[in-house]
Amino acid sequence: MKKNLDFKIKIKNKMSKRIKIILVVVVLLIFIIMNDDNLKNKALSSLENLTGGIIGQSLTPNFRLSEFDCKDGTKVPEIYIPNAKKVAEQLEIIRAELGGVPIRINSGYRTENHNILVGGVTGSYHLRAMAADIVASGVPVNILYATIIRLMLQGKIIKGGVGLYDNFVHYDIRGIMVQWGKFNKIDI
């Protein structure tokens, strides 16, 4: 009789967990539709906890490892995960400086082939998950660019490469400050 009771309790716990996962997925879809990144990330964290990390690994409160995956479908190699984490930590500081607006990673890690396909430079920091091409919700790219430079000059984030493009900003953690891009005079 006791074995039968234990079996029923295990089934009930599993069913309860499945129901919780379904509810979190539904809530996550609602937040995605509402375009609310803060709530979406909280729902993703809950889903990750419920699934034992199957859904996605958090690097920081607002950035997941999957956001750094190559656009050709290749996951960030394990050896480069610490690099992606360092970049994500810097992006958290930038995000906070911008008042907590969501930052979207357009390009993080790249394979050699994908880097060639998108016209990336030889030796790109994207090849080691040490770079991210980003946009910040509602923030003009020139303001994002200037904010990154200011934070580097203040010693608040790792010095690196910062490139200003028409619709995104490149930031990498190479250790020395390098700037390029389409800009006129930008007040820092």
Side-chain angles (χ1 to χ4, degrees):
M1 187 70 155
K2 186 172 189 312
K3 284 184 180 181
N4 192 20
L5 182 60
D6 288 342
F7 180 72
K8 285 181 181 177
I9 290 170
K10 285 179 184 177
I11 290 175
K12 186 177 179 183
N13 285 341
K14 285 185 180 182
M15 294 296 275
S16 176
K17 188 174 184 178
R18 286 185 185 138
I19 291 169
K20 287 178 187 175
I21 290 171
I22 291 167
L23 288 173
V24 172
V25 168
V26 169
V27 169
L28 175 61
L29 291 172
I30 291 168
F31 293 151
I32 289 170
I33 291 167
M34 290 172 48
N35 200 22
D36 189 326
D37 284 345
N38 287 330
L39 295 175
K40 178 184 77 173
N41 286 326
K42 287 179 184 175
L44 280 169
S45 293
S46 295
L47 193 55
E48 181 180 331
N49 291 336
L50 287 170
T51 61
I54 294 170
I55 297 301
Q57 180 181 349
S58 290
L59 296 173
T60 65
N62 294 293
F63 296 98
R64 311 187 92 51
L65 181 58
S66 60
E67 294 178 81
F68 284 86
D69 289 346
C70 185
K71 299 304 179 206
D72 70 3
T74 305
K75 304 286 184 200
V76 176
E78 194 169 327
I79 192 170
Y80 298 139
I81 292 173
N83 295 344
K85 183 168 177 57
K86 280 184 190 173
V87 173
E89 290 166 349
Q90 307 315 298
L91 296 180
E92 287 287 357
I93 295 167
I94 296 164
R95 187 180 197 273
E97 185 70 16
L98 294 170
V101 300
I103 291 178
R104 187 178 76 237
I105 299 170
N106 292 337
S107 180
Y109 168 71
R110 292 182 192 155
T111 61
E112 291 273 353
N113 287 340
H114 189 71
N115 192 55
I116 292 167
L117 183 69
V118 299
V121 298
T122 304
S124 168
Y125 286 89
H126 287 280
L127 299 172
R128 291 174 280 157
M130 293 177 66
D133 295 341
I134 59 173
V135 294
S137 184
V139 177
V141 290
N142 63 324
I143 300 299
L144 176 58
Y145 175 84
T147 301
I148 293 171
I149 292 171
R150 183 171 40 79
L151 290 171
M152 284 194 294
L153 291 172
Q154 293 171 345
K156 293 182 179 179
I157 62 172
I158 296 173
K159 289 185 178 172
V162 188
L164 177 62
Y165 295 87
D166 289 332
N167 55 1
F168 69 92
V169 174
H170 168 96
Y171 170 64
D172 66 57
I173 56 169
R174 67 182 68 190
I176 59 169
M177 194 166 155
V178 179
Q179 304 170 54
W180 68 89
K182 301 178 177 189
F183 52 87
N184 296 322
K185 183 176 185 245
I186 295 177
D187 293 325
I188 301 168

